[in-house]
Amino acid sequence: MKPRFTFVLVAAALALAGSAQAAPAEDYIAANKCGKCHTEKTTKKGPSFASLAAKYKGDAGATAKLLNTLKTGGSVDHDKATGSDADLQAVITFILASK
Ligand code: HEC
């Protein structure tokens, strides 16, 4: 029984790690209530992620700009986002890849 039990534990750990890796940006967006104002495709209080992706398409500085906006409020006086730069960059990458 023991080896089998170990196998189950390892499988569970891998499943957890896998889900955390699959969607860190989506987890962040859910945890930080970005969805109150944004959805992927439709304009709510804020623009849809797909429309932001279209707006910043081809803009090599987009990630830096949006990181600044999320951290400081930027020129649009956005709600300040919490989290590490790495978290925010993952979110921005996710947003800019939206269609
Ligand atoms: C209270 C509503 C609200 C919440 C909550 C909110 N946003 Fe926004 N967001 C807006 C509005 C409104 C705009 C459009 C601002 C403008 O362009 O004038 C915007 C714009 C943006 C932009 C584009 C900024 C730019 O410079 O073009 C990004 C990226 C963004 N939001 C990401 C996020 C993320 C990530 C979260 C969660 C941490 C979030 N927003 C939470 C309302 C919100």
Side-chain angles (χ1 to χ4, degrees), residues 21-38:
Q21 239 165 28
E26 283 154 282
D27 289 349
Y28 176 96
I29 288 166
N32 288 276
K33 315 246 183 306
C34 313
K36 268 197 314 188
C37 300
H38 297 281

Side-chain angles (χ1 to χ4, degrees), residues 18-77:
S19 65
Q21 239 165 28
E26 283 154 282
D27 289 349
Y28 176 96
I29 288 166
N32 288 276
K33 315 246 183 306
C34 313
K36 268 197 314 188
C37 300
H38 297 281
T39 74
E40 224 173 315
K41 293 195 198 306
T42 54
T43 305
K44 245 171 134 180
K45 274 190 203 159
S48 71
F49 291 151
S51 73
L52 289 173
K55 176 176 164 192
Y56 288 102
K57 196 167 183 234
D59 182 344
T63 302
K65 253 187 244 172
L66 294 179
L67 185 61
N68 182 59
T69 299
L70 290 178
K71 283 173 68 170
T72 68
S75 57
V76 296
D77 202 23

